[in-house]
Amino acid sequence: MVSLVLAGVGGQGIITVANIVGKAALIEGKNALMTELHGMAQRGGKIVVEVRIGDYKSAIIPARSADIMLAFEELEGARNLSKLKESGVILLNRRMIHPVSLTMKIQDYPERIIAEALSKYKTINVEADQIAMNLGNRRVANTAMVGATFSTGLLNLREESLITAIKESLPEKHWDINTKAFEQGKILPAFETAKVA
Amino acid sequence: MEYDLLLGSEGKIEFLLGNEAVVRGLYEAGVSVAAAYPGTPSSEIGDVLYKLSDRIGIKFEFSTNEKVALEVASAASAGGLRSFVFMKHVGLNVAMDSFVSLSGAGVKGGMVVFSADDPSMHSSQNEQDNRFLGKFARTIVIEPSSPQELKDYIVHAFDISEEVGHPVLIRSVTRISHVRAPVRLGEVKKKNEWKYKKSASLVLLPENAYKAQMSIVNRLEKVRSSKYNAILNSVYGDSSTLIITSGAAYNYIDEALQMLNVKARILKIGLSFPLDQEMILGEVEKAERVIFVEEGGPFLEEQVLSLCAIRSINKKFYGKINGSISTSYEMDVDRVAGFLSEIYGMPFQTKTQNLNLPERAPVLCPGCPHRATYYVAKLAMKQRGIQNAIVPTDIGCYSLGYYEPYQLGDYCFSMGSSIGSSSGFTMEAKERVVSFIGDSTFFHAGIPGLINAYHNDHNFVLVIMDNYVTAMTGGQPTPETTPPFKRVDIESVVRGIGIKNVYSMDPYDLKNSLDTFKKALDSNELAVIISKRECALEVDRKRAPSEAKVFQINQDKCNLCYNCVKNFACAAFYVDEGRVYIDPELCDGCSVCSEPLVCPFNAIEVKP
Ligand code: SF4
Ligand code: SF4
């Protein structure tokens, strides 16, 4: 039984990631639930997706009980910390999307408050956007996050299941680049964890 | 192909969104005709049907509004076919006139009306519980709890509807329609043959309507004694505490009980109107106390309590009527556990923490033509010395104009209400009235209001923001979309009413648009501006990523006047240590910010 919160901003492809994890669970004959909230903005609004694998009926994760947080955007990660349990792990994509309300008032991104909030948890930085950029397609940042999530070992899913789920979720012409993004996402956090430890 | 997984063979298990499971349910049930007006959280049903309809033999259309859609479906069912209409909760208000009468007329082929309610208003203007409307119209009401049940119950609903000759309302909510879960596919039934027979019961003149009232009662009586109660309702657990529940709320109970380490007997109702009275009262009699856990209002609770009053059954009842739990907002495990903990006298604390983080209000997309329209509208009003204009707005992406810095939108509550209310405001208001409506909303419910405004000579400026698509629900077609449909031209509709002051403009052309706005504001009779530019997301969907330009700020030229961030406020701008930048991953390349009306210093340029 494992629960994941995925938080970010509309347009980051978060739902695809959740879908891949859910499908992989199904491939292994496990029950999986996923629920998404994305408000009324088509792009740029806050998004929260919750995924639970195991014998659950509620797709909504109770407060303080998620095992993993996938923060696709830093502020949105911090905003949803109340879902994460104390021993939970944060996979932090180093991406800042400035809320218009701050920009309008000539204010900087609230890096300090975020860093402080995240510091209470075990946080692993994932350069998902960087990986995607290097591979030449910024859209594959998602799949790098899937790789990172896998290598935490908390998902309790097999690599083959995730790869199969990635292929089931995407057209064949994108398989190659997404498998690469998955591979590279996998390596980084292991390295970072070592550093933190 | 996309959505092939919905066509899989019986017994296969797929990871489906609730709304996708609905489409599979329609396929299995042998539905022939479906119609809808898009609305979150029901929209994906239409997106999928639109793509699959040919392959699953369902004739499907996006109708101009929910009432039309319901009538389209009901006619098919009068011809013996199975038909389906779906909408978000508030859409049923629009369809209500036909919906209520439909239960009098009855149906031949099975007919199901699907309502996706939105408790907590994640993307809606209210959280009405449409089970009450189903009961009000005296249709059968069925409540699934999960994507699997959505699919299965749709098939049952069609069977009941056809057996009894009565329409069924299925009530979903955001947390079922927007939940993904494993769904086991079932057998696909054959479709009905078309056979239309004239019948007095389908013409609700007073004489026939009088008889229809009795047939409603008889049909509902048949449901009460049908086998479907046993199929759709279930009960388990051993305890003197009975929890009566239904819909999404059911999903949270087991986990909440576990958290509190207490037990209950759970009665899960799937057929919630008309109720299986004897079974339910039998359970209530055996219990010491009864708790109602429902999503929305006290729907089961009201019905059960009135039955208990008649039978003089006296128990301890807890729910929304006695105020144990509030009728507002959606349920979840924490909320249910909090509610139960007080009844059971067990300690429970929801552990939330409050970080003081800046809000992220919903925003118009980078490149959105509405932003340009709003920018120009504000500028024009300022240049004409119009302060405090009254600004009715409407339902769509553009209602985000309410937020800073535009703050255009101070009266908004239902589809099309901008135009009717504008007429009302002009009756006595000293302020200038300028209102906004989108293209799809204009077709849906704006036209009668505009005819009224012209006919009764109300003087205001109406801006129709025409982006050729129903954008907020994910880009569904509108009456302007071609091919394969016939195109309805907004300007011809407006001119056809007789309105003379009609202006078309391209909002990306700020200078021209500013002049247009000023002309409209100067008019002393009704003026309509049609601001035409395709939705930026649609453009994005159609073009190759390589075609997109990205803009940047030339830091040498930037004078730090901040006009771009303070007044134009594209979501791609950001500020770092006082300097302005454009996030290259967000910029849509629309070029509007590079115009002198936004950046007077010509500091915004294409990134090489
Ligand atoms: S409007 Fe032009 S000069 Fe003013 S802050 Fe923006 S980029 Fe700089
Ligand atoms: S070109 Fe300017 S206005 Fe258009 S999306 Fe890019 S930053 Fe925003």
Side-chain angles (χ1 to χ4, degrees):
Chain A
M1 310 253 283
V2 54
S3 298
L4 297 80
V5 195
L6 300 84
V9 169
Q12 291 193 292
I14 297 168
I15 290 171
T16 313
V17 172
N19 202 0
I20 288 169
V21 174
K23 272 193 176 166
L26 219 67
I27 290 170
E28 297 188 13
K30 294 176 180 163
N31 181 49
L33 296 173
M34 160 183 165
T35 181
E36 54 195 61
L37 277 190
H38 34 75
M40 62 177 292
Q42 289 291 302
R43 287 277 185 282
K46 48 191 182 190
I47 292 207
V48 189
V49 183
E50 301 171 45
V51 179
R52 303 182 90 189
I53 300 171
D55 234 359
Y56 294 109
K57 283 180 185 160
S58 165
I60 306 176
I61 304 170
R64 292 240 166 277
S65 58
D67 303 284
I68 314 172
M69 141 93 64
L70 275 67
F72 288 78
E73 199 278 341
E74 302 189 12
L75 174 59
E76 294 316 308
R79 197 188 305 287
N80 290 286
L81 282 175
S82 58
K83 284 271 175 190
L84 195 62
K85 64 183 181 197
E86 267 156 46
S87 59
V89 173
I90 303 170
L91 292 177
L92 182 68
N93 178 30
R94 300 310 308 269
R95 175 84 169 104
M96 297 176 233
I97 299 179
H98 297 237
V100 173
S101 56
L102 290 185
T103 304
M104 254 170 40
K105 290 185 225 124
I106 326 296
Q107 285 174 7
D108 289 359
Y109 193 81
E111 282 177 77
R112 201 185 41 80
I113 332 176
I114 295 173
E116 210 180 284
L118 297 180
S119 68
K120 302 194 179 78
Y121 299 86
K122 180 172 175 191
T123 305
I124 303 171
N125 291 339
V126 186
E127 301 289 348
D129 278 306
Q130 202 48 52
I131 294 174
M133 222 77 103
N134 295 346
L135 286 170
N137 183 347
R138 61 194 199 199
R139 298 216 172 128
V140 301
N142 299 337
T143 344
M145 286 296 273
V146 179
T149 315
F150 167 75
S151 60
T152 60
L154 294 169
L155 266 187
N156 224 344
L157 294 174
R158 288 192 297 272
E159 185 166 354
E160 309 86 78
S161 320
L162 286 160
I163 299 281
T164 312
I166 289 172
K167 290 183 175 172
E168 279 182 17
S169 311
L170 301 166
E172 195 170 340
K173 60 175 179 207
H174 299 315
W175 288 1
D176 194 43
I177 188 166
N178 277 285
T179 332
K180 280 192 190 130
F182 178 87
E183 283 300 325
Q184 297 192 17
K186 233 171 65 182
I187 301 162
L188 249 167
F191 171 69
E192 291 279 342
T193 324
K195 232 174 33 180
V196 173
Chain B
M1 265 167 89
E2 217 184 345
Y3 302 124
D4 266 357
L5 73 177
L6 290 175
L7 307 180
S9 48
E10 189 182 349
K12 271 201 88 170
I13 298 175
E14 298 287 1
F15 193 51
L16 299 185
L17 189 71
N19 283 340
E20 293 169 357
V22 167
V23 177
R24 172 68 191 197
L26 302 179
Y27 179 42
E28 289 181 11
V31 169
S32 301
V33 170
Y37 182 81
T40 309
S42 74
S43 308
E44 296 83 1
I45 304 173
D47 298 339
V48 180
L49 262 180
Y50 189 62
K51 295 199 175 111
L52 277 189
S53 56
D54 282 347
R55 298 170 72 198
I56 58 180
I58 296 180
K59 289 214 167 108
F60 169 64
E61 73 171 37
F62 283 114
S63 304
T64 31
N65 66 33
E66 293 85 356
K67 180 170 182 288
V68 175
L70 187 129
E71 290 149 2
V72 167
S74 70
S77 130
L81 303 178
R82 290 192 162 189
S83 73
F84 185 70
V85 56
F86 56 97
M87 56 201 69
K88 71 180 293 170
H89 57 329
V90 287
L92 191 57
N93 302 339
V94 177
M96 204 60 189
D97 197 356
S98 292
F99 179 62
V100 177
S101 294
L102 176 70
S103 78
V107 304
K108 297 289 182 290
M111 176 164 171
V112 172
V113 178
F114 181 92
S115 165
D117 296 4
D118 190 18
S120 282
M121 296 149 288
H122 300 295
S123 40
S124 306
Q125 62 267 49
N126 74 26
E127 56 173 4
Q128 68 187 50
D129 178 347
N130 276 1
R131 297 176 299 171
F132 288 94
L133 294 194
K135 180 166 173 275
F136 175 78
R138 288 186 293 164
T139 59
I140 301 158
V141 180
I142 290 182
E143 288 186 77
S145 298
S146 62
Q148 179 75 55
E149 286 184 359
L150 264 183
K151 181 195 78 63
D152 294 345
Y153 287 13
I154 278 181
V155 180
H156 293 310
F158 275 103
D159 291 345
I160 304 177
S161 171
E162 204 160 287
E163 268 174 53
V164 183
H166 205 63
V168 175
L169 175 78
I170 290 194
R171 190 245 194 168
S172 179
V173 294
T174 305
R175 300 297 190 164
I176 308 173
S177 276
H178 281 176
V179 160
R180 232 171 240 281
V183 174
R184 179 183 289 274
L185 308 184
E187 170 203 0
V188 176
K189 293 190 188 179
K190 254 186 64 205
K191 296 186 195 301
N192 293 352
E193 297 281 331
W194 174 262
K195 52 172 189 302
Y196 175 69
K197 229 178 92 227
K198 293 182 198 291
S199 153
S201 65
L202 298 176
V203 189
L204 291 178
L205 296 175
E207 179 199 348
N208 301 336
Y210 194 85
K211 291 178 197 147
Q213 292 310 305
M214 265 354 272
S215 37
I216 295 176
V217 175
N218 292 336
R219 289 186 228 123
L220 291 178
E221 226 18 79
K222 269 191 220 158
V223 176
R224 221 188 277 288
S225 56
S226 75
K227 63 173 192 235
Y228 294 101
N229 287 300
I231 297 174
L232 298 172
N233 304 332
S234 59
V235 60
Y236 62 88
D238 202 11
S239 166
S240 60
T241 302
L242 177 68
I243 298 182
I244 302 183
T245 181
S246 68
Y250 161 74
N251 299 326
Y252 313 127
I253 294 174
D254 288 351
E255 203 169 330
L257 291 171
Q258 244 172 46
M259 273 183 182
L260 300 174
N261 203 10
V262 293
K263 287 195 165 36
R265 183 163 171 82
I266 315 281
L267 175 52
K268 175 179 180 296
I269 306 287
L271 182 47
S272 46
F273 184 79
L275 280 184
D276 183 350
Q277 301 180 347
E278 296 316 314
M279 181 274 288
I280 293 171
L281 288 180
E283 288 295 335
V284 172
E285 297 246 43
K286 281 191 289 182
E288 266 168 36
R289 56 182 177 189
V290 182
I291 306 170
F292 296 90
V293 182
E294 302 181 64
E295 200 72 86
F299 183 71
L300 299 170
E301 190 177 355
E302 275 183 15
Q303 293 185 74
V304 173
L305 289 193
S306 47
L307 286 173
C308 289
I310 292 167
R311 304 274 182 98
S312 309
I313 300 173
N314 197 8
K315 303 279 168 179
K316 282 195 208 119
F317 294 106
Y318 303 87
K320 291 181 170 168
I321 293 179
N322 80 337
S324 297
I325 187 161
S326 142
T327 46
S328 298
Y329 313 136
E330 70 179 4
M331 294 285 185
D332 58 29
V333 174
D334 292 311
R335 230 187 129 195
V336 172
F339 165 46
L340 294 181
S341 73
E342 280 171 33
I343 300 169
Y344 282 90
M346 299 295 284
F348 176 77
Q349 269 186 355
T350 30
K351 304 152 256 178
T352 48
Q353 62 173 40
N354 259 339
L355 283 170
N356 203 2
L357 295 171
E359 244 319 309
R360 187 186 299 275
V363 285
L364 296 168
C365 303
C368 175
H370 298 330
R371 175 177 295 106
T373 306
Y374 283 139
Y375 182 71
V376 167
K378 283 208 84 156
L379 210 56
M381 287 194 246
K382 196 169 155 207
Q383 291 186 4
R384 279 294 183 264
I386 298 173
Q387 282 160 355
N388 288 326
I390 297 178
V391 189
T393 187
D394 226 298
I395 310 283
C397 289
Y398 49 92
S399 48
L400 298 178
Y402 161 82
Y403 290 101
E404 285 188 286
Y406 323 110
Q407 289 174 298
L408 289 171
D410 47 41
Y411 197 78
C412 171
F413 50 76
S414 76
M415 293 286 283
S417 66
S418 61
I419 307 185
S421 61
S422 293
S423 291
F425 280 120
T426 57
M427 284 197 166
E428 289 290 355
K430 309 282 174 292
E431 301 89 337
R432 191 81 168 106
V433 177
V434 179
S435 59
F436 294 89
I437 191 170
D439 46 349
S440 189
T441 308
F442 175 70
F443 286 117
H444 175 286
I447 294 172
L450 190 57
I451 293 175
N452 174 74
Y454 175 69
H455 175 68
N456 289 310
D457 203 11
H458 295 297
N459 175 15
F460 58 92
V461 177
L462 174 69
V463 186
I464 303 177
M465 304 173 100
D466 184 5
N467 59 6
Y468 318 143
V469 77
T470 313
M472 193 170 58
T473 47
Q476 292 79 10
T478 73
E480 286 183 287
T481 311
T482 62
F485 316 106
K486 297 227 166 74
R487 177 162 183 270
V488 182
D489 177 53
I490 293 186
E491 187 168 340
S492 313
V493 171
V494 175
R495 287 194 187 278
I497 292 173
I499 302 167
K500 303 279 175 318
N501 281 330
V502 186
Y503 309 92
S504 277
M505 65 179 216
D506 172 2
Y508 276 14
D509 181 348
L510 296 180
K511 199 171 155 299
N512 249 318
S513 300
L514 184 62
D515 291 341
T516 306
F517 248 103
K518 287 196 268 190
K519 262 187 248 161
L521 287 172
D522 293 342
S523 162
N524 47 19
E525 55 178 24
L526 178 65
V528 177
I529 297 174
I530 305 168
S531 182
K532 291 185 180 192
R533 178 52 91 151
E534 186 170 25
C535 166
L537 278 190
E538 284 301 299
V539 175
D540 226 35
R541 283 174 192 131
K542 289 176 196 162
R543 77 179 164 201
S546 55
E547 286 173 60
K549 278 185 278 182
V550 169
F551 282 71
Q552 67 179 11
I553 290 178
N554 182 329
Q555 297 295 343
D556 296 333
K557 287 189 182 172
C558 174
N559 192 272
L560 297 183
C561 71
Y562 298 127
N563 181 55
C564 57
V565 286
K566 280 187 175 159
N567 297 313
F568 188 69
C570 173
F573 295 142
Y574 68 94
V575 169
D576 193 29
E577 294 181 349
R579 300 218 68 96
V580 181
Y581 301 90
I582 291 175
D583 188 327
E585 290 201 32
L586 300 180
C587 175
D588 170 74
C590 73
S591 83
V592 178
C593 62
S594 68
E595 294 216 17
L597 273 174
V598 177
C599 177
F601 298 92
N602 288 319
I604 307 184
E605 56 190 31
V606 181
K607 192 172 177 168

